[in-house]
């Protein structure tokens, strides 16, 4: 029997997602009538993905992130001041239409809370500090994302939203988040429950593969009709990854962070939280489906970028 470790699965997850997207596009092309069924399956799958993802975050220990104040300042400055300004500059420079602009902003404005820990481990970062800062990143992004969108998104984009119809999107994030908090409380009360968390740690990769399969199958028409526009996204996401690494280097140098913490800062700044913003994109009005596809495209570019980060950061940028 072939046994694959969880770390090996996470290291090669980009290929899992590429295969899932290819299968989804093939299924959606061969049987276009299955689109509505795939969309119905998408919501419970996304809720399950968010729950198992949030369960890996120490949500009850936000204060732990502030114990190393210099590292916390670096992460918060990078993720919530420097990178939002970078995202705003990129969408201004590339002059996207309102739909594409909203998709890019949604996915670039908030930091990752899951696989950046894995890549910090693979790239010889400071994993304990990565874990400690994660709940603070999550709380702040949920609070600040509406402010960022109000400041940076096109007025036409925000005006087209029916905020009442977005309620399910907020629930699909908040219900798994609340469930994960309660589960974590139970795990800390009953230490044997840690086995449950360890078992759940296997599920983010296969569940995300299923999510991108369902999106690709349901939105194959949108993908094929927007290939030219999607190609214009690639330089933006590559530039973001390059700039995030260099900005992390500058912040780490100014705050005199050790190399391990500098690598962790770079992984935090280079990874974005597509899971949290995807429900919002999926609830946009008819004709705005491309925003969700933009988020999926960014995730794939980011994963390939993380492969480069793992090799480059410890050898060249943060020796």
């Amino acid at each position: 029997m072939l046994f694959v470790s969880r770390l090996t699965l996470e290291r090669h997850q980009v290929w899992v997602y590429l295969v899932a997207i290819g299968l989804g596009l093939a299924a959606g092309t061969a049987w276009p009538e299955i689109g509505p069924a795939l969309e119905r399956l998408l919501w419970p799958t996304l809720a399950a993905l968010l729950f198992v993802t949030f369960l890996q975050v120490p949500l009850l220990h936000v204060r732990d992130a502030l114990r190393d104040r210099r590292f916390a300042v670096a992460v918060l400055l990078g993720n919530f001041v420097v990178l939002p300004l970078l995202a705003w500059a990129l969408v201004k420079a590339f002059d996207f239409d309102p739909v594409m602009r909203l998709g890019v902003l949604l996915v670039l404005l908030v930091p990752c809370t899951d696989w950046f820990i894995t890549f910090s481990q693979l790239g010889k970062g400071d994993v304990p500090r990565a874990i400690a800062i994660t709940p603070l990143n999550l709380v702040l992004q949920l609070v600040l994302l509406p402010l960022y969108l109000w400041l940076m998104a096109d007025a036409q984009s925000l005006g087209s939203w029916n905020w009442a119809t977005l309620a399910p999107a907020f629930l699909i994030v908040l219900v798994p988040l609340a469930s994960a908090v309660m589960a974590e409380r139970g795990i800390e009360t009953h230490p044997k429950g840690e086995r449950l968390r360890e078992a759940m740690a296997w599920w983010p990769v296969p569940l995300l593969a299923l999510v991108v399969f369902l999106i690709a199958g349901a939105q194959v028409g949108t993908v094929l009709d927007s290939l030219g526009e999607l190609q214009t996204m690639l330089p933006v996401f590559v530039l973001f990854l390059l700039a995030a690494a260099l900005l992390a280097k500058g912040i780490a140098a100014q705050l005199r962070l050790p190399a391990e913490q500098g690598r962790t800062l770079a992984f935090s700044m280079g990874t974005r939280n597509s899971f949290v913003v995807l429900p919002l994109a999926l609830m946009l009005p008819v004709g705005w489906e491309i925003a969700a596809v933009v988020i999926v495209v960014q995730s794939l570019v980011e994963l390939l970028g993380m492969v480069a980060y793992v090799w480059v950061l410890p050898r060249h940028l943060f020796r």
Side-chain angles (χ1 to χ4, degrees), residues 165-178:
T165 64
L166 288 176
F170 288 107
L171 289 175
I172 210 71
V173 174
L174 295 179
V175 171
L177 179 61

Side-chain angles (χ1 to χ4, degrees), residues 205-224:
V205 173
L207 282 173
L208 181 55
L210 182 55
V211 164
V212 296
F213 168 83
L214 294 171
I215 292 175
Q219 303 294 342
V220 63
T222 302
V223 173
L224 295 177

Side-chain angles (χ1 to χ4, degrees), residues 138-181:
L138 179 59
V139 171
L140 285 178
Q141 68 186 255
L142 294 175
V143 173
L144 292 175
L145 180 60
L147 174 63
Y148 291 148
L149 292 177
W150 179 71
L151 291 172
M152 301 180 192
D154 189 278
Q156 179 184 345
S157 303
L158 299 181
S160 68
W161 285 14
N162 182 342
W163 293 95
T165 64
L166 288 176
F170 288 107
L171 289 175
I172 210 71
V173 174
L174 295 179
V175 171
L177 179 61
S179 300
V181 170

Side-chain angles (χ1 to χ4, degrees), residues 20-37:
I21 288 176
L23 292 175
L25 292 174
T29 303
W31 303 287
E33 67 280 1
I34 67 172

Side-chain angles (χ1 to χ4, degrees), residues 40-294:
R40 287 192 294 271
L41 287 172
L42 176 59
W43 290 104
T45 306
L46 188 55
L49 170 63
L50 288 169
F51 172 72
V52 297
T53 300
F54 291 149
L55 193 59
Q56 309 310 311
V57 177
L59 297 168
L60 300 180
H61 301 279
V62 175
R63 286 181 296 179
D64 290 351
L66 301 176
R67 290 182 178 175
D68 187 337
R69 293 187 179 181
R70 191 166 46 168
F71 177 72
V73 166
V75 172
L76 298 183
L77 176 65
N79 278 322
F80 297 106
V81 178
V82 174
L83 290 187
L85 291 173
L86 173 63
W88 178 78
L90 287 172
V91 296
K92 293 287 285 185
F94 281 80
D95 194 26
F96 296 120
D97 65 61
V99 182
M100 303 291 270
R101 179 183 180 128
L102 182 59
V104 173
L105 287 174
L106 276 172
V107 77
L108 292 186
L109 285 173
V110 292
C112 182
T113 57
D114 40 49
W115 62 41
F116 109 84
I117 297 174
T118 299
F119 286 113
S120 293
Q121 180 178 6
L122 294 173
K124 300 179 180 179
D126 191 326
V127 176
R129 281 181 172 80
I131 294 171
I133 202 68
T134 298
L136 187 58
N137 273 342
L138 179 59
V139 171
L140 285 178
Q141 68 186 255
L142 294 175
V143 173
L144 292 175
L145 180 60
L147 174 63
Y148 291 148
L149 292 177
W150 179 71
L151 291 172
M152 301 180 192
D154 189 278
Q156 179 184 345
S157 303
L158 299 181
S160 68
W161 285 14
N162 182 342
W163 293 95
T165 64
L166 288 176
F170 288 107
L171 289 175
I172 210 71
V173 174
L174 295 179
V175 171
L177 179 61
S179 300
V181 170
M182 291 187 290
E184 183 178 346
R185 192 176 298 278
I187 288 170
E188 294 197 350
T189 305
H190 303 88
K192 290 184 178 179
E194 189 62 38
R195 296 178 184 176
L196 172 65
R197 195 198 320 248
E198 292 177 1
M200 290 290 185
W202 280 86
W203 283 98
V205 173
L207 282 173
L208 181 55
L210 182 55
V211 164
V212 296
F213 168 83
L214 294 171
I215 292 175
Q219 303 294 342
V220 63
T222 302
V223 173
L224 295 177
D225 292 341
S226 307
L227 282 177
E229 292 175 288
L230 290 173
Q231 288 176 0
T232 66
M233 298 287 100
L234 300 181
V236 177
F237 298 144
V238 173
L239 283 172
F240 183 88
L241 285 167
L242 291 172
L246 295 176
L247 289 168
K249 175 67 174 178
I251 293 172
Q254 288 296 316
L255 294 176
R256 299 182 180 179
L257 298 182
E260 282 189 345
Q261 293 183 25
R263 295 173 202 142
T264 305
L265 174 65
F267 281 112
S268 179
M269 292 176 63
T271 52
R272 306 288 89 193
N273 205 345
S274 55
F275 301 162
V276 167
V277 297
L278 187 55
L280 293 174
L282 291 169
M283 290 302 295
L284 289 171
V286 174
W288 292 60
E289 295 85 356
I290 189 63
V293 179
V294 167

